[in-house]
Amino acid sequence: MRRRSANWDQTEALQKVQTMLQAHPNVKGIIAGNDTMALGAWSALQAAKKTNVVVTGLDGGPDVAASILKHGIKATVLQPAAKISQMAVDQADKYLKSGSTGQPEKQSVDCVLINADKLHNFSLDS
């Protein structure tokens, strides 16, 4: 497994994947840290005629949803922003009242695999 940063940039992701394909032409999948980089990776793969590579993103953006619906990028996930915001408010309130949140400094929140048909403007229809 190789890790490369594209600094959250679509053009840089395209360039990194082009370079990666030279050294690893049989790559099976790419997990991008955001949808913008997933789009760049997918562009590089299309140009190299390697559309059998699984590409996933993170953000639930409309461009990636469109790609998913066209059988391009395979998946994206949403971070539950409303849940994270509520956790922050609750913990800030608890800290102000008691001097402690009662929680560790770093906390994990599960992401949600999306159904691209229900994705609109970074949120899911009910």
Side-chain angles (χ1 to χ4, degrees), residues 2 5 7 9-10 18-20 24 39 44-45 61 63 69-70 80 90 95 97 100 104 110 113 118-119 123:
R2 302 282 182 185
S5 174
N7 298 306
D9 182 77
Q10 186 169 346
Q18 287 173 329
T19 300
M20 180 187 71
H24 305 283
L39 289 166
L45 291 163
D63 293 336
L69 293 172
K70 292 177 186 172
D90 291 344
Y95 181 82
K97 290 178 179 173
S100 173
D110 291 337
L113 182 65
K118 296 184 180 272
L119 183 66
S123 66

mmCIF file of all heavy atoms in Angstrom, residues 2 5 7 9-10 18-20 24 39 44-45 61 63 69-70 80 90 95 97 100 104 110 113 118-119 123:
data_model
loop_
_atom_site.group_PDB
_atom_site.id
_atom_site.type_symbol
_atom_site.label_atom_id
_atom_site.label_comp_id
_atom_site.label_asym_id
_atom_site.label_seq_id
_atom_site.Cartn_x
_atom_site.Cartn_y
_atom_site.Cartn_z
ATOM 1 N N ARG A 2 0.572 2.171 -0.844
ATOM 2 C CA ARG A 2 1.303 3.435 -0.934
ATOM 3 C C ARG A 2 0.385 4.559 -0.502
ATOM 4 O O ARG A 2 -0.797 4.575 -0.822
ATOM 5 C CB ARG A 2 1.760 3.701 -2.363
ATOM 6 C CG ARG A 2 2.624 2.641 -2.925
ATOM 7 C CD ARG A 2 4.004 2.782 -2.384
ATOM 8 N NE ARG A 2 4.828 1.747 -3.004
ATOM 9 C CZ ARG A 2 6.062 1.552 -2.676
ATOM 10 N NH1 ARG A 2 6.633 2.292 -1.782
ATOM 11 N NH2 ARG A 2 6.744 0.607 -3.250
ATOM 12 N N SER A 5 -0.069 12.243 -0.505
ATOM 13 C CA SER A 5 -0.964 13.367 -0.243
ATOM 14 C C SER A 5 -1.114 14.197 -1.505
ATOM 15 O O SER A 5 -0.136 14.483 -2.194
ATOM 16 C CB SER A 5 -0.406 14.256 0.868
ATOM 17 O OG SER A 5 -1.218 15.409 0.998
ATOM 18 N N ASN A 7 -2.913 17.032 -1.058
ATOM 19 C CA ASN A 7 -3.198 18.326 -0.421
ATOM 20 C C ASN A 7 -4.596 18.856 -0.725
ATOM 21 O O ASN A 7 -4.797 20.040 -0.906
ATOM 22 C CB ASN A 7 -2.132 19.348 -0.804
ATOM 23 C CG ASN A 7 -0.763 18.919 -0.327
ATOM 24 O OD1 ASN A 7 -0.584 18.634 0.850
ATOM 25 N ND2 ASN A 7 0.190 18.817 -1.234
ATOM 26 N N ASP A 9 -6.395 18.731 -3.287
ATOM 27 C CA ASP A 9 -6.482 19.425 -4.564
ATOM 28 C C ASP A 9 -6.732 18.442 -5.709
ATOM 29 O O ASP A 9 -6.036 17.426 -5.829
ATOM 30 C CB ASP A 9 -5.176 20.186 -4.801
ATOM 31 C CG ASP A 9 -5.192 20.982 -6.073
ATOM 32 O OD1 ASP A 9 -5.822 22.062 -6.085
ATOM 33 O OD2 ASP A 9 -4.576 20.523 -7.058
ATOM 34 N N GLN A 10 -7.689 18.747 -6.569
ATOM 35 C CA GLN A 10 -8.060 17.861 -7.667
ATOM 36 C C GLN A 10 -6.934 17.702 -8.684
ATOM 37 O O GLN A 10 -6.615 16.591 -9.107
ATOM 38 C CB GLN A 10 -9.321 18.387 -8.351
ATOM 39 C CG GLN A 10 -9.865 17.455 -9.405
ATOM 40 C CD GLN A 10 -11.248 17.859 -9.870
ATOM 41 O OE1 GLN A 10 -11.919 18.663 -9.247
ATOM 42 N NE2 GLN A 10 -11.676 17.296 -10.978
ATOM 43 N N GLN A 18 -1.407 9.812 -11.794
ATOM 44 C CA GLN A 18 -0.683 9.542 -13.042
ATOM 45 C C GLN A 18 0.709 8.985 -12.733
ATOM 46 O O GLN A 18 1.136 7.999 -13.333
ATOM 47 C CB GLN A 18 -0.558 10.812 -13.879
ATOM 48 C CG GLN A 18 -1.852 11.231 -14.531
ATOM 49 C CD GLN A 18 -1.748 12.587 -15.216
ATOM 50 O OE1 GLN A 18 -0.995 13.473 -14.789
ATOM 51 N NE2 GLN A 18 -2.520 12.756 -16.279
ATOM 52 N N THR A 19 1.396 9.601 -11.806
ATOM 53 C CA THR A 19 2.732 9.142 -11.408
ATOM 54 C C THR A 19 2.655 7.768 -10.761
ATOM 55 O O THR A 19 3.467 6.878 -11.046
ATOM 56 C CB THR A 19 3.386 10.153 -10.449
ATOM 57 O OG1 THR A 19 3.485 11.413 -11.121
ATOM 58 C CG2 THR A 19 4.759 9.692 -10.001
ATOM 59 N N MET A 20 1.677 7.580 -9.887
ATOM 60 C CA MET A 20 1.511 6.311 -9.192
ATOM 61 C C MET A 20 1.274 5.165 -10.181
ATOM 62 O O MET A 20 1.806 4.069 -10.029
ATOM 63 C CB MET A 20 0.346 6.383 -8.210
ATOM 64 C CG MET A 20 0.109 5.099 -7.438
ATOM 65 S SD MET A 20 -1.378 5.156 -6.440
ATOM 66 C CE MET A 20 -2.619 5.110 -7.720
ATOM 67 N N HIS A 24 2.888 1.572 -10.326
ATOM 68 C CA HIS A 24 1.950 0.541 -9.873
ATOM 69 C C HIS A 24 0.784 0.433 -10.853
ATOM 70 O O HIS A 24 -0.344 0.819 -10.541
ATOM 71 C CB HIS A 24 1.429 0.881 -8.473
ATOM 72 C CG HIS A 24 2.518 1.103 -7.475
ATOM 73 N ND1 HIS A 24 3.228 0.072 -6.896
ATOM 74 C CD2 HIS A 24 3.036 2.249 -6.975
ATOM 75 C CE1 HIS A 24 4.129 0.572 -6.077
ATOM 76 N NE2 HIS A 24 4.046 1.882 -6.109
ATOM 77 N N LEU A 39 -12.112 12.895 -7.468
ATOM 78 C CA LEU A 39 -12.371 13.309 -8.850
ATOM 79 C C LEU A 39 -11.078 13.403 -9.659
ATOM 80 O O LEU A 39 -11.028 12.995 -10.818
ATOM 81 C CB LEU A 39 -13.116 14.645 -8.875
ATOM 82 C CG LEU A 39 -14.567 14.587 -8.409
ATOM 83 C CD1 LEU A 39 -15.092 15.984 -8.139
ATOM 84 C CD2 LEU A 39 -15.433 13.860 -9.427
ATOM 85 N N ALA A 44 -7.481 10.763 -13.767
ATOM 86 C CA ALA A 44 -6.232 10.113 -14.162
ATOM 87 C C ALA A 44 -6.481 8.677 -14.596
ATOM 88 O O ALA A 44 -5.911 8.211 -15.593
ATOM 89 C CB ALA A 44 -5.226 10.151 -13.006
ATOM 90 N N LEU A 45 -7.335 7.979 -13.877
ATOM 91 C CA LEU A 45 -7.638 6.592 -14.223
ATOM 92 C C LEU A 45 -8.369 6.488 -15.561
ATOM 93 O O LEU A 45 -8.089 5.603 -16.363
ATOM 94 C CB LEU A 45 -8.451 5.937 -13.108
ATOM 95 C CG LEU A 45 -7.667 5.723 -11.811
ATOM 96 C CD1 LEU A 45 -8.616 5.470 -10.651
ATOM 97 C CD2 LEU A 45 -6.666 4.589 -11.965
ATOM 98 N N GLY A 61 -20.069 15.066 -2.024
ATOM 99 C CA GLY A 61 -20.254 16.190 -2.931
ATOM 100 C C GLY A 61 -21.084 15.822 -4.150
ATOM 101 O O GLY A 61 -21.127 14.668 -4.567
ATOM 102 N N ASP A 63 -20.659 16.444 -7.373
ATOM 103 C CA ASP A 63 -19.931 15.956 -8.535
ATOM 104 C C ASP A 63 -19.589 14.472 -8.397
ATOM 105 O O ASP A 63 -19.634 13.722 -9.368
ATOM 106 C CB ASP A 63 -18.656 16.772 -8.772
ATOM 107 C CG ASP A 63 -18.954 18.204 -9.189
ATOM 108 O OD1 ASP A 63 -20.048 18.451 -9.726
ATOM 109 O OD2 ASP A 63 -18.091 19.069 -8.972
ATOM 110 N N LEU A 69 -23.433 7.767 -9.946
ATOM 111 C CA LEU A 69 -24.623 7.408 -10.718
ATOM 112 C C LEU A 69 -24.290 7.006 -12.153
ATOM 113 O O LEU A 69 -25.048 6.280 -12.789
ATOM 114 C CB LEU A 69 -25.633 8.554 -10.696
ATOM 115 C CG LEU A 69 -26.256 8.825 -9.317
ATOM 116 C CD1 LEU A 69 -27.089 10.098 -9.350
ATOM 117 C CD2 LEU A 69 -27.078 7.643 -8.835
ATOM 118 N N LYS A 70 -23.119 7.467 -12.641
ATOM 119 C CA LYS A 70 -22.668 7.091 -13.993
ATOM 120 C C LYS A 70 -21.695 5.909 -13.942
ATOM 121 O O LYS A 70 -21.011 5.630 -14.919
ATOM 122 C CB LYS A 70 -21.981 8.284 -14.666
ATOM 123 C CG LYS A 70 -22.920 9.428 -14.979
ATOM 124 C CD LYS A 70 -22.138 10.593 -15.564
ATOM 125 C CE LYS A 70 -23.031 11.799 -15.747
ATOM 126 N NZ LYS A 70 -22.257 12.989 -16.121
ATOM 127 N N PRO A 80 -21.195 13.115 9.672
ATOM 128 C CA PRO A 80 -22.442 13.637 10.231
ATOM 129 C C PRO A 80 -22.226 14.981 10.929
ATOM 130 O O PRO A 80 -22.075 15.061 12.147
ATOM 131 C CB PRO A 80 -22.874 12.538 11.207
ATOM 132 C CG PRO A 80 -21.587 11.891 11.625
ATOM 133 C CD PRO A 80 -20.678 11.976 10.424
ATOM 134 N N ASP A 90 -22.767 20.311 23.306
ATOM 135 C CA ASP A 90 -23.025 19.609 24.571
ATOM 136 C C ASP A 90 -21.776 19.551 25.432
ATOM 137 O O ASP A 90 -21.827 19.791 26.646
ATOM 138 C CB ASP A 90 -23.539 18.192 24.306
ATOM 139 C CG ASP A 90 -24.929 18.155 23.707
ATOM 140 O OD1 ASP A 90 -25.650 19.187 23.751
ATOM 141 O OD2 ASP A 90 -25.310 17.077 23.183
ATOM 142 N N TYR A 95 -18.376 21.462 29.884
ATOM 143 C CA TYR A 95 -17.095 21.999 30.329
ATOM 144 C C TYR A 95 -17.290 23.308 31.099
ATOM 145 O O TYR A 95 -16.686 23.530 32.147
ATOM 146 C CB TYR A 95 -16.153 22.217 29.140
ATOM 147 C CG TYR A 95 -14.809 22.749 29.571
ATOM 148 C CD1 TYR A 95 -13.838 21.881 30.048
ATOM 149 C CD2 TYR A 95 -14.525 24.102 29.530
ATOM 150 C CE1 TYR A 95 -12.615 22.357 30.472
ATOM 151 C CE2 TYR A 95 -13.297 24.594 29.939
ATOM 152 C CZ TYR A 95 -12.345 23.717 30.416
ATOM 153 O OH TYR A 95 -11.140 24.192 30.849
ATOM 154 N N LYS A 97 -19.870 24.262 32.717
ATOM 155 C CA LYS A 97 -20.586 24.013 33.973
ATOM 156 C C LYS A 97 -19.755 23.243 34.988
ATOM 157 O O LYS A 97 -19.902 23.455 36.186
ATOM 158 C CB LYS A 97 -21.876 23.251 33.694
ATOM 159 C CG LYS A 97 -22.909 24.100 32.987
ATOM 160 C CD LYS A 97 -24.166 23.286 32.671
ATOM 161 C CE LYS A 97 -25.200 24.164 31.977
ATOM 162 N NZ LYS A 97 -26.352 23.382 31.519
ATOM 163 N N SER A 100 -15.006 20.050 32.963
ATOM 164 C CA SER A 100 -14.573 18.863 32.237
ATOM 165 C C SER A 100 -15.676 18.426 31.278
ATOM 166 O O SER A 100 -16.857 18.526 31.601
ATOM 167 C CB SER A 100 -14.277 17.712 33.206
ATOM 168 O OG SER A 100 -14.021 16.513 32.504
ATOM 169 N N PRO A 104 -12.640 12.019 26.033
ATOM 170 C CA PRO A 104 -11.241 12.157 25.621
ATOM 171 C C PRO A 104 -11.090 13.312 24.633
ATOM 172 O O PRO A 104 -12.067 13.732 24.000
ATOM 173 C CB PRO A 104 -10.926 10.820 24.945
ATOM 174 C CG PRO A 104 -12.248 10.261 24.558
ATOM 175 C CD PRO A 104 -13.251 10.791 25.541
ATOM 176 N N ASP A 110 -18.569 7.939 13.449
ATOM 177 C CA ASP A 110 -18.730 7.147 12.234
ATOM 178 C C ASP A 110 -19.266 7.994 11.095
ATOM 179 O O ASP A 110 -20.132 8.851 11.282
ATOM 180 C CB ASP A 110 -19.681 5.977 12.478
ATOM 181 C CG ASP A 110 -19.086 4.922 13.396
ATOM 182 O OD1 ASP A 110 -17.848 4.840 13.496
ATOM 183 O OD2 ASP A 110 -19.870 4.175 14.018
ATOM 184 N N LEU A 113 -22.073 5.885 4.715
ATOM 185 C CA LEU A 113 -21.997 5.570 3.297
ATOM 186 C C LEU A 113 -23.292 6.058 2.658
ATOM 187 O O LEU A 113 -24.376 5.775 3.153
ATOM 188 C CB LEU A 113 -21.841 4.065 3.092
ATOM 189 C CG LEU A 113 -21.709 3.588 1.653
ATOM 190 C CD1 LEU A 113 -20.422 4.121 1.027
ATOM 191 C CD2 LEU A 113 -21.732 2.069 1.613
ATOM 192 N N LYS A 118 -29.977 9.915 -3.281
ATOM 193 C CA LYS A 118 -30.595 10.738 -2.242
ATOM 194 C C LYS A 118 -29.703 11.900 -1.788
ATOM 195 O O LYS A 118 -30.043 12.609 -0.865
ATOM 196 C CB LYS A 118 -30.964 9.871 -1.045
ATOM 197 C CG LYS A 118 -32.010 8.829 -1.350
ATOM 198 C CD LYS A 118 -32.401 8.062 -0.120
ATOM 199 C CE LYS A 118 -33.430 7.034 -0.433
ATOM 200 N NZ LYS A 118 -34.783 7.522 -0.348
ATOM 201 N N LEU A 119 -28.578 12.083 -2.449
ATOM 202 C CA LEU A 119 -27.627 13.112 -2.053
ATOM 203 C C LEU A 119 -27.883 14.413 -2.798
ATOM 204 O O LEU A 119 -27.938 14.433 -4.018
ATOM 205 C CB LEU A 119 -26.192 12.637 -2.337
ATOM 206 C CG LEU A 119 -25.085 13.569 -1.927
ATOM 207 C CD1 LEU A 119 -25.041 13.703 -0.416
ATOM 208 C CD2 LEU A 119 -23.767 13.046 -2.445
ATOM 209 N N SER A 123 -25.967 16.793 1.642
ATOM 210 C CA SER A 123 -26.843 16.206 2.644
ATOM 211 C C SER A 123 -27.746 15.177 1.971
ATOM 212 O O SER A 123 -27.936 15.198 0.759
ATOM 213 C CB SER A 123 -27.674 17.282 3.347
ATOM 214 O OG SER A 123 -28.565 17.883 2.435
#
